Amino acid sequence: MELKNYAPSKLNYIHQITIDCVILGYSNKEIKVLVPKLIFNGDFFALPSGFVFQDEDVNDAAKRILHERTGLENVYLEQFQVFGQAKRNSTTFLDKLTALNPDIVSDQNTAAREHEWFTKRFISIGYYALVDINKVVPQKSSLDQSISWFNIKDIPEMIMDHEQIIMEARNALRVHLDEKISAFKLLPETFTIKEIQELYETIYEKEFVRTNFQKKILEMNVLERLEKKYTGAKNKAPYLYKFKS
Amino acid sequence: MELKNYAPSKLNYIHQITIDCVILGYSNKEIKVLVPKLIFNGDFFALPSGFVFQDEDVNDAAKRILHERTGLENVYLEQFQVFGQAKRNSTTFLDKLTALNPDIVSDQNTAAREHEWFTKRFISIGYYALVDINKVVPQKSSLDQSISWFNIKDIPEMIMDHEQIIMEARNALRVHLDEKISAFKLLPETFTIKEIQELYETIYEKEFVRTNFQKKILEMNVLERLEKKYTGAKNKAPYLYKFKS
């Protein structure tokens, strides 16, 4: 079986390795994940993915893929887990895809050999990225019909194990948050303490006591206090902060 | 170039993927790492490594390799990082190896094609294992001259990026320790609070205040108190504990 025109040429890629990117943003007290919908018939939603060139560092491949999908340079990203189950590339997805899209299947032998690598088992290296959602203009790839932000609690049905990859990315983010002090990457450049607290509450799905949270976050000594944020009610104007770079 | 008899057959392995295992033990207030010395001329020290079969889960491959090197089933292990630099398989190591061991090099074309895969770039998936050092009987592979425990602060010069892999394993252990409550895997079945404290102090390379440490560790509610450990000085006998499974 061969997927004509759609499977990348096997030249120069490391075979059986893929990078899957969980691109996370934040708005309206929701963690959002950037999910493309594939161009094929049937509702196929798949994480932004890509391959590693033979002469390319794996981390550079992840940066390249993220740049292609967000237009951003220097995106914050973490390699968090390898998804290596032998059966994760079961043929269920490809069977369904080709059943609904018979025109993409060809049995020309030459082309079949060229693209055979694409239907083999892949080991996926999972990365998550934290982006300021206001700065991102999501980019479709040539295989995407559309690309949109979804609330992480309300994602569409994903192909293969991509839903699991998203959930493991969220788990990793929760574990990393204190150590890597990375949550600020999800916020605009300046923010109030209340806005950080809302972000943490959204990530951990629990509420924190305001005074304790403020004490803890300030003790981390990573924030620089700026001017007050005037909103009309002058006496209650909170300070704005930014992350010390 | 071909390494006759030594390079595994390419059949059934996923190419360009390797698993490197950092097997960690603990004794005499030292974190130890299990390091084989290769059979070749020259002092080549390399982490216990292996490949993934086409129909094998990556985690199962790691378990298999750990079992081969420790004789233990159900070893505690964590996949902690992918080492994916394009230049990590520079030819420096192979050049030095073949210069010192000219008898292993052949230029027979058939054999060369069979083993060409073995000299390509490999992406390494790093796992660390925590073992009770008293239960392990280290096992040499057919490529090992010897295999020994080294103090992690005093390891021999390693091939390629294997020293970096060891150091990243230690960093990962430190980060994981509270969340995964895994340190007890390094201890015998029963232990005193003082012995746990010494272990934590060894891992983090810093001292803890005894009363604070005891309070914190007991509050984790993962220990079951057993009988006292009688050592002669009856009034000072400390309690033994075991980890609640």
Side-chain angles (χ1 to χ4, degrees):
Chain A
M1 188 193 68
E2 177 254 342
L3 308 179
K4 65 183 173 196
N5 300 329
Y6 297 110
S9 161
K10 70 178 176 180
L11 293 175
N12 289 324
Y13 284 127
I14 295 180
H15 292 194
Q16 301 196 265
I17 286 282
T18 185
I19 289 178
D20 286 312
C21 295
V22 181
I23 303 174
L24 299 173
Y26 172 72
S27 74
N28 296 325
K29 302 188 188 176
E30 292 180 357
I31 299 295
K32 311 273 196 181
V33 55
L34 194 58
V35 179
K37 183 179 179 184
L38 302 181
I39 47 174
F40 307 106
N41 295 326
D43 290 331
F44 293 106
F45 293 89
L47 285 173
S49 301
F51 305 105
V52 183
F53 288 112
Q54 282 290 355
D55 61 354
E56 184 180 41
D57 290 0
V58 173
N59 285 341
D60 288 343
K63 284 177 202 165
R64 174 174 53 75
I65 295 162
L66 283 167
H67 176 68
E68 288 166 5
R69 297 313 183 97
T70 62
L72 294 180
E73 302 278 1
N74 301 317
V75 167
Y76 177 90
L77 83 168
E78 289 283 342
Q79 186 259 302
F80 69 98
Q81 193 174 319
V82 169
F83 296 86
Q85 285 191 289
K87 300 270 185 249
R88 65 182 292 278
N89 288 70
S90 74
T91 56
T92 315
F93 158 59
L94 277 176
D95 288 349
K96 191 175 165 197
L97 182 74
T98 50
L100 290 167
N101 299 268
D103 56 310
I104 69 170
V105 182
S106 147
D107 56 6
Q108 296 168 50
N109 283 337
T110 315
R113 274 199 302 279
E114 175 74 6
H115 295 312
E116 187 197 2
W117 77 286
F118 195 64
T119 56
K120 278 196 177 171
R121 168 190 178 187
F122 276 84
I123 293 171
S124 166
I125 305 175
Y127 282 81
Y128 70 80
L130 305 182
V131 300
D132 174 354
I133 203 166
N134 301 302
K135 287 192 182 158
V136 175
V137 181
Q139 311 283 319
K140 288 190 292 186
S141 82
S142 60
L143 288 182
D144 299 335
Q145 183 185 112
S146 59
I147 183 168
S148 324
W149 290 106
F150 286 86
N151 183 343
I152 201 169
K153 298 169 85 168
D154 190 20
I155 53 173
E157 186 182 338
M158 306 287 296
I159 67 165
M160 293 168 49
D161 56 358
H162 286 198
E163 178 175 344
Q164 183 200 349
I165 296 176
I166 293 172
M167 293 308 139
E168 293 294 344
R170 182 171 64 178
N171 291 343
L173 173 64
R174 287 174 179 162
V175 171
H176 290 167
L177 213 53
D178 281 340
E179 178 221 351
K180 301 191 189 272
I181 315 181
S182 53
F184 306 102
K185 307 289 182 186
L186 290 165
L187 292 172
E189 198 168 341
T190 65
F191 40 78
T192 64
I193 296 285
K194 179 161 179 277
E195 286 166 339
I196 307 174
Q197 180 169 346
E198 286 170 356
L199 169 62
Y200 271 75
E201 288 177 341
T202 303
I203 292 172
Y204 287 113
E205 296 185 349
K206 65 179 178 188
E207 293 187 1
F208 297 103
V209 176
R210 190 180 61 81
T211 48
N212 293 355
F213 183 85
Q214 177 164 340
K215 181 164 177 289
K216 189 185 160 202
I217 209 84
L218 292 176
E219 277 175 359
M220 289 167 77
N221 196 30
V222 295
L223 297 184
E224 181 183 334
R225 197 171 80 173
L226 306 169
E227 74 278 17
K228 287 198 170 192
K229 181 183 184 181
Y230 291 106
T231 56
K234 191 175 174 187
N235 287 338
K236 292 191 173 177
Y239 281 101
L240 282 170
Y241 290 82
K242 71 173 210 180
F243 186 64
K244 285 184 196 169
S245 60
Chain B
M1 192 193 66
E2 177 256 337
L3 307 179
K4 65 182 175 199
N5 300 328
Y6 297 111
S9 162
K10 71 178 178 183
L11 294 174
N12 288 325
Y13 283 128
I14 295 180
H15 291 196
Q16 301 197 265
I17 286 283
T18 185
I19 288 178
D20 286 313
C21 295
V22 181
I23 303 174
L24 299 172
Y26 172 73
S27 74
N28 296 323
K29 301 187 188 176
E30 291 178 358
I31 299 295
K32 311 273 199 185
V33 55
L34 194 58
V35 178
K37 183 179 177 182
L38 302 181
I39 48 174
F40 307 107
N41 294 325
D43 291 331
F44 294 105
F45 293 89
L47 285 173
S49 301
F51 305 104
V52 183
F53 289 112
Q54 282 291 354
D55 60 354
E56 185 180 40
D57 289 358
V58 172
N59 285 340
D60 288 343
K63 284 178 201 162
R64 173 174 53 76
I65 295 162
L66 284 166
H67 176 68
E68 287 165 6
R69 298 313 185 95
T70 61
L72 294 179
E73 303 276 2
N74 301 319
V75 167
Y76 177 88
L77 82 168
E78 288 283 343
Q79 186 258 303
F80 69 98
Q81 194 174 319
V82 169
F83 297 87
Q85 285 191 289
K87 300 272 185 244
R88 64 181 293 277
N89 289 67
S90 74
T91 57
T92 315
F93 159 59
L94 277 176
D95 288 349
K96 191 176 165 195
L97 181 74
T98 51
L100 290 167
N101 299 270
D103 57 308
I104 68 170
V105 180
S106 148
D107 56 8
Q108 294 168 49
N109 283 336
T110 314
R113 275 199 301 278
E114 176 73 7
H115 294 313
E116 186 199 0
W117 77 287
F118 195 61
T119 57
K120 277 196 178 171
R121 168 190 179 186
F122 276 85
I123 293 170
S124 165
I125 304 175
Y127 282 81
Y128 70 81
L130 304 182
V131 301
D132 175 355
I133 202 166
N134 301 302
K135 287 193 182 157
V136 175
V137 182
Q139 311 283 319
K140 288 190 291 186
S141 82
S142 60
L143 288 182
D144 299 336
Q145 182 185 111
S146 59
I147 183 167
S148 322
W149 291 105
F150 287 86
N151 183 344
I152 200 169
K153 296 168 87 168
D154 191 21
I155 53 172
E157 186 183 335
M158 307 286 295
I159 68 165
M160 294 168 47
D161 56 357
H162 287 197
E163 177 175 344
Q164 183 201 348
I165 295 176
I166 293 172
M167 292 308 138
E168 293 294 344
R170 181 171 63 177
N171 291 343
L173 173 62
R174 287 174 179 163
V175 171
H176 291 166
L177 214 52
D178 282 341
E179 179 223 348
K180 302 192 186 272
I181 315 178
S182 53
F184 305 102
K185 306 289 182 186
L186 290 165
L187 293 172
E189 198 169 343
T190 66
F191 40 78
T192 66
I193 297 284
K194 180 161 178 278
E195 287 165 339
I196 308 175
Q197 181 170 345
E198 286 170 355
L199 170 62
Y200 271 74
E201 289 177 340
T202 304
I203 292 173
Y204 287 112
E205 295 186 350
K206 65 180 180 188
E207 295 187 0
F208 297 103
V209 176
R210 191 182 60 81
T211 46
N212 293 353
F213 182 86
Q214 178 164 341
K215 182 165 177 287
K216 189 186 160 200
I217 209 84
L218 292 176
E219 277 176 0
M220 289 167 77
N221 196 31
V222 294
L223 297 183
E224 181 182 336
R225 198 171 80 174
L226 307 169
E227 73 279 18
K228 286 196 172 194
K229 182 183 184 181
Y230 290 106
T231 56
K234 190 176 173 186
N235 287 336
K236 291 191 173 179
Y239 281 103
L240 283 170
Y241 291 82
K242 72 173 210 182
F243 185 64
K244 285 183 197 169
S245 60

